[in-house]
Amino acid sequence: MAPHRYIPSSSAAVQSETAAAAEPPGPFYGEPHKFDPSFRGPIRRRSCTDVLCCLIFIIVIFSYVALGIVAWLHGDPRKVLHPTDSYGQFCGQKGTSNAKKPILFYFNILKCANPAILINLQCPTTQMCVSKCPDKFATYTEMQLQHKLSKSYWEYYRQFCKPGFNNPDKPVSQVLRDEDCPSMIVPSRPFLQRCLPDFITLNGTVTVANRTRFKDALEMARSVTELQEAAKGITGLVDTKELGMKIVEDFAKSWAWILIGLLISLTVSLVFILLLRFTAGLLLWVTIISVILLLAYGMWYCSMELSQLRHTPGSDVAIVEVGLQTDLQVYLQLRQTWIVLLVSLGVTEVSILLMLIFLRRRVRVAIALLREASKAIGHIMTTLFYPVITFLLLTVCISYWAVTAVYLASSGDAVYKVMSPDVSCPNVNSTCNPETFNKSNISKAASCLGSQCLFAFYGGETSYHRYLFLLQLSNLLIFLWLVNFSLALEQCTLAGTFSSYYWAKRKPQDIPPCPLFSSFSRAIRYHTGSLAFGALILSVVQFVRIILEYLEQKLRGVNNSLSRFIMCCLKCCFWCLEKFIRYMNRNAYIMVAIYGKSFCTSAREAFFLLMRNVVRVAVLDRVTDFLLFLGKVLIAGGVGVVAFLFFTKEIPVIQEEVPNLNYYWIPLLTVVIGAYLIAHGFFSVYAMCVDTLFLCFLLDQEMNNGSLARPYHMTCSLRRTICRHLRKDMNRKRHKEKTRGFNHLYH
């Protein structure tokens, strides 16, 4: 009889391969999980975790509600939205003397050198509420001369003086000293309820009231250039206002078509996901090829446009020289625009091709994981609609934070400060009382001549007002905490749902009923503290990053290379730290959903599990995220192309239905961004499903060996695909080690 030869079974071969791949890279990553015959997926009998953090989180929420109530009691959004005169009164406020005076007028706008001062802070000159802006040029001296001929000149001029002042014969020096009237008025137009000079260009020269130079009441020579410096950037702000009005008009005309485009995006996303359920591999390869062809077409189109502009006069102008334009056609007439687009598309195309060439095996593994995720989502379709709950929670958090921030910013009483044209005045920015200021020693001091007691801001001397800035920071930190908690709740809920699918022996018969609701209930009931703990760590890092961005803005004008270098290093370090914490939190929430342990314990076990299987972790290497990103781009790009053809009237069948728009790119961008966000909402479920299944796969490999007593819970196709990839990686690694050993012996 021939001798019997032992032929290892497929499960034994897989076990040996995975055991070799799962060899711990070091002695510091804990012991592998041991077989537990009672383990059937997410632990049902569990207890509350991180109770202290849960209590702190609940107290913070109640404190946040109390902060909002206090801010609503003290705040008044009108202080932010409406202009305020030098007496702290709102312009246009009903029931006051300014009810019919909705516009703010500056006595001496030349003192306002920065437009940001005009809109946000206070300008060191008297400010009065008026019913309309002046429409002609005049000085106080001219008015006095004309008043002797007709009283109508004074009646027109006095509406821009302090209320109650009716003495046109008062000497000019005293009028200007007491700030009773402005030294001159110039033609202005209202912008953001403020009178700003109305600049008109005549034959290429900027003028005001057809003048380029003029004299004020003190016979001092003034020029239009000074007015432009005083209102620098105001013209651009006016254009921005007009742009905003046109944008609102375009939205009003096209909102129905935008809604149709978003519904089409929703339908396409659902169809894409359903196709993934049955043809994951084919569909993903079609997606990759489609994106490559789309980028190639874009490169060809850019090169054709660039060749046509080579001989067009004026097309060689740089984009920087053109500046910010509301009409996009201006940029499309520049060669530099098409060069930038061509280079960007080319770099993207080459990056995708290189990734496919060098990571083709990992792409196949990622497709296998996505195919398995499609099966899981196909059995639990309710998970696709959970992002709607997250969207509602985020909407509530953002709305509450924004409203609270506005009310905090508008808290307090009117505070008056000494403002002087002479910077050497020692009392500048000190608190004053406008009713007694003219009788005080400050107004009579030689170094403070011409100083005024003007409204500065809303605040106070109480503890609440002194700590308003800290309250705003607290508002921001708690907002970040709540946002990250909402995202953590989604991740933990989906992780528990998909782990229930993975650990079911017979799919879908053994999947527990209502797995999504059960996972959500477990996360809220037992692990609110753990989710809040992880969210707090991430929120603190994000908070520090925001502070660093704020400090960088403050230090931007400082010519100190060392400070800029330190700031750049800190920003880079905290950016990396945030990415690492996000990744670890995501895996920690999966372990929390499965085993029901505390956050720190789950994070440690997840980290050790990943490090014990570092070769397998390299299988993903963000390839699945890359494939899902291509799917989002394909959906958003496809819907965007159709929207572009529609709004540019390139579809002959429905040309008459297209509304006449000022800027077609307004609804186009809205549809494209909305389509991408809709696709992102669905595909984020896929990403969480892949991460959960992969972590469960690693646990399955450690606890089971494929025998009848300890069978694997993964599907055969997924096991074959991953193990085949692992075998090739291990063979390549051994070959490199042998080659390195031979080279060492040879040398």
Side-chain angles (χ1 to χ4, degrees):
M1 185 174 65
H4 175 73
R5 296 177 60 187
Y6 172 73
I7 302 176
S9 63
S10 60
S11 63
V14 169
Q15 179 183 353
S16 62
E17 293 166 3
T18 54
E23 184 180 352
F28 307 107
Y29 301 116
E31 295 293 330
H33 287 76
K34 297 181 179 180
F35 173 70
D36 183 4
S38 63
F39 183 73
R40 295 291 184 272
I43 304 298
R44 296 186 180 181
R45 298 185 62 181
R46 55 181 71 192
S47 59
C48 296
T49 57
D50 297 302
V51 179
L52 179 61
C53 191
C54 179
L55 294 176
I56 295 175
F57 184 62
I58 294 174
I59 293 173
V60 168
I61 291 178
F62 281 108
S63 302
Y64 197 32
V65 173
L67 174 62
I69 294 174
V70 173
W72 296 339
L73 292 176
H74 288 82
D76 188 350
R78 294 177 303 174
K79 300 173 183 178
V80 178
L81 302 176
H82 299 288
T84 310
D85 63 12
S86 296
Y87 301 99
Q89 299 176 346
F90 300 120
C91 294
Q93 183 180 6
K94 295 181 179 180
T96 64
S97 58
N98 293 332
K100 297 182 179 180
K101 300 177 180 180
I103 308 172
L104 189 67
F105 173 75
Y106 297 90
F107 271 29
N108 188 358
I109 198 172
L110 295 175
K111 294 182 180 180
C112 309
N114 193 332
I117 294 176
L118 298 179
I119 298 173
N120 299 319
L121 306 176
Q122 291 295 322
C123 183
T125 185
T126 301
Q127 304 159 36
M128 301 301 301
C129 297
V130 295
S131 57
K132 63 178 182 178
C133 295
D135 55 7
K136 58 184 179 181
F137 179 86
T139 65
Y140 192 82
T141 305
E142 292 177 354
M143 182 278 303
Q144 285 186 321
L145 296 176
Q146 297 292 340
H147 172 64
K148 297 177 181 179
L149 302 176
S150 175
K151 295 183 179 180
S152 60
Y153 290 97
W154 167 243
E155 294 299 326
Y156 177 81
Y157 203 95
R158 68 175 293 190
Q159 61 183 329
F160 305 107
C161 299
K162 285 183 178 179
F165 180 74
N166 190 16
N167 186 9
D169 298 324
K170 186 176 181 178
V172 176
S173 59
Q174 297 181 15
V175 171
L176 299 182
R177 180 198 63 191
D178 299 334
E179 291 273 352
D180 293 323
C181 288
S183 62
M184 64 179 179
I185 57 176
V186 297
S188 307
R189 55 176 171 172
F191 171 71
L192 295 178
Q193 294 181 265
R194 289 152 174 89
C195 291
L196 300 176
D198 187 11
F199 299 107
I200 300 176
T201 303
L202 295 178
N203 298 324
T205 303
V206 179
T207 63
V208 173
N210 297 328
R211 304 185 185 189
T212 58
R213 300 190 63 85
F214 43 85
K215 294 183 179 181
D216 60 12
L218 298 178
E219 297 298 322
M220 294 182 62
R222 301 289 186 178
S223 66
V224 173
T225 305
E226 294 181 74
L227 284 177
Q228 284 184 303
E229 288 296 326
K232 185 178 180 181
I234 294 300
T235 305
L237 294 175
V238 173
D239 292 338
T240 303
K241 180 184 179 183
E242 295 177 356
L243 173 64
M245 295 175 63
K246 291 181 179 180
I247 289 175
V248 172
E249 183 181 354
D250 288 344
F251 274 122
K253 290 181 179 179
S254 60
W255 68 268
W257 295 106
I258 293 175
L259 185 60
I260 292 174
L262 296 179
L263 291 176
I264 293 175
S265 305
L266 178 64
T267 305
V268 172
S269 299
L270 288 174
V271 171
F272 192 92
I273 288 175
L274 291 177
L275 292 177
L276 272 179
R277 172 67 176 86
F278 303 102
T279 59
L282 177 62
L283 183 60
L284 288 172
W285 281 114
V286 169
T287 300
I288 295 172
I289 295 173
S290 300
V291 172
I292 292 175
L293 294 177
L294 191 63
L295 291 173
Y297 172 78
M299 294 170 60
W300 173 82
Y301 185 82
C302 291
S303 61
M304 294 298 296
E305 290 289 335
L306 186 60
S307 62
Q308 293 178 3
L309 291 174
R310 288 191 183 278
H311 305 289
T312 303
S315 62
D316 57 344
V317 179
I319 297 177
V320 179
E321 298 178 6
V322 175
L324 181 63
Q325 300 291 331
T326 56
D327 188 3
L328 296 183
Q329 293 295 330
V330 175
Y331 300 106
L332 298 181
Q333 303 302 320
L334 303 178
R335 278 183 285 176
Q336 195 177 84
T337 302
W338 295 105
I339 292 175
V340 171
L341 292 176
L342 179 61
V343 172
S344 302
L345 294 176
V347 171
T348 306
E349 180 90 342
V350 172
S351 301
I352 294 176
L353 291 175
L354 291 176
M355 182 174 292
L356 292 177
I357 293 173
F358 294 103
L359 301 176
R360 56 188 181 278
R361 283 193 295 270
R362 294 183 181 180
V363 169
R364 288 197 291 267
V365 175
I367 290 176
L369 287 169
L370 288 172
R371 187 184 295 114
E372 193 68 20
S374 299
K375 295 179 183 178
I377 294 175
H379 292 308
I380 315 174
M381 291 292 292
T382 52
T383 54
L384 291 175
F385 302 98
Y386 187 86
V388 176
I389 299 177
T390 303
F391 174 78
L392 295 177
L393 291 176
L394 293 179
T395 302
V396 172
C397 294
I398 294 173
S399 302
Y400 189 88
W401 166 77
V403 172
T404 304
V406 170
Y407 274 87
L408 283 174
S410 59
S411 297
D413 302 322
V415 175
Y416 299 88
K417 297 284 187 179
V418 176
M419 296 186 183
S420 174
D422 190 353
V423 295
S424 62
C425 178
N427 301 102
V428 171
N429 291 328
S430 60
T431 307
C432 59
N433 187 343
E435 297 180 358
T436 61
F437 180 76
N438 290 332
K439 301 177 182 179
S440 64
N441 296 327
I442 299 177
S443 60
K444 301 176 182 178
S447 58
C448 297
L449 291 177
S451 59
Q452 296 287 318
C453 182
L454 302 179
F455 168 77
F457 54 87
Y458 286 95
E461 301 299 329
T462 63
S463 299
Y464 170 77
H465 295 106
R466 283 198 300 268
Y467 294 106
L468 272 178
F469 181 71
L470 294 179
L471 292 177
Q472 285 283 21
L473 293 180
S474 302
N475 181 32
L476 176 60
L477 179 59
I478 299 175
F479 162 72
L480 294 175
W481 195 1
L482 293 176
V483 167
N484 288 314
F485 176 82
S486 302
L487 297 176
L489 180 61
E490 177 186 3
Q491 294 172 1
C492 188
T493 300
L494 294 177
T497 304
F498 294 127
S499 61
S500 299
Y501 162 84
Y502 183 92
W503 296 107
K505 289 187 176 180
R506 296 178 302 164
K507 302 175 178 62
Q509 292 85 354
D510 292 341
I511 299 177
C514 303
L516 181 66
F517 179 76
S518 300
S519 180
F520 179 80
S521 302
R522 288 195 300 267
I524 289 293
R525 180 178 179 182
Y526 297 108
H527 306 303
T528 298
S530 298
L531 301 181
F533 191 13
L536 177 61
I537 297 174
L538 181 59
S539 301
V540 171
V541 176
Q542 293 174 337
F543 184 72
V544 174
R545 287 193 64 199
I546 293 174
I547 293 178
L548 290 177
E549 291 288 345
Y550 173 77
L551 293 177
E552 185 185 33
Q553 295 294 328
K554 290 293 185 181
L555 296 174
R556 180 159 293 180
V558 179
N559 188 16
N560 190 331
S561 57
L562 178 61
S563 63
R564 291 199 302 268
F565 174 76
I566 295 175
M567 189 63 62
C568 183
C569 293
L570 289 174
K571 288 176 59 180
C572 181
C573 292
F574 277 95
W575 180 84
C576 295
L577 180 61
E578 181 185 353
K579 294 297 181 183
F580 175 76
I581 291 177
R582 279 185 184 276
Y583 180 75
M584 289 310 305
N585 279 7
R586 192 179 183 92
N587 291 281
Y589 297 146
I590 297 175
M591 299 299 285
V592 168
I594 296 175
Y595 289 103
K597 297 181 180 180
S598 64
F599 175 79
C600 292
T601 303
S602 300
R604 178 170 53 86
E605 291 186 357
F607 178 74
F608 286 172
L609 177 63
L610 294 174
M611 292 305 298
R612 288 196 301 268
N613 299 271
V614 65
V615 177
R616 296 192 185 109
V617 173
V619 170
L620 282 181
D621 199 25
R622 314 307 295 177
V623 176
T624 52
D625 291 339
F626 170 72
L627 294 178
L628 293 176
F629 173 73
L630 291 184
K632 301 173 196 175
V633 171
L634 183 63
I635 293 174
V639 175
V641 169
V642 175
F644 174 78
L645 296 175
F646 173 78
F647 288 114
T648 55
K649 301 183 179 180
E650 297 292 336
I651 304 178
V653 182
I654 51 176
Q655 280 185 348
E656 298 180 356
E657 302 294 333
V658 181
N660 294 321
L661 303 174
N662 297 298
Y663 309 110
Y664 69 86
W665 50 268
I666 296 298
L668 176 62
L669 286 179
T670 305
V671 171
V672 171
I673 295 174
Y676 183 85
L677 293 177
I678 290 173
H680 176 74
F682 287 111
F683 283 36
S684 63
V685 178
Y686 261 88
M688 194 64 205
C689 183
V690 168
D691 290 344
T692 303
L693 295 181
F694 187 73
L695 212 62
C696 291
F697 169 81
L698 300 181
L699 291 171
D700 195 7
Q701 288 287 331
E702 289 190 350
M703 293 189 297
N704 302 306
N705 57 11
S707 63
L708 293 178
R710 296 163 60 183
Y712 290 123
H713 289 76
M714 71 192 80
T715 59
C716 296
S717 59
L718 179 63
R719 183 171 66 248
R720 283 196 302 268
T721 304
I722 295 182
C723 291
R724 188 186 308 118
H725 174 83
L726 291 174
R727 184 174 65 253
K728 293 180 179 179
D729 275 356
M730 292 301 296
N731 292 336
R732 192 183 306 111
K733 182 179 178 181
R734 293 191 185 106
H735 177 71
K736 290 181 178 179
E737 290 177 352
K738 289 180 180 179
T739 305
R740 191 181 301 113
F742 284 136
N743 292 335
H744 179 71
L745 291 175
Y746 177 76
H747 290 291

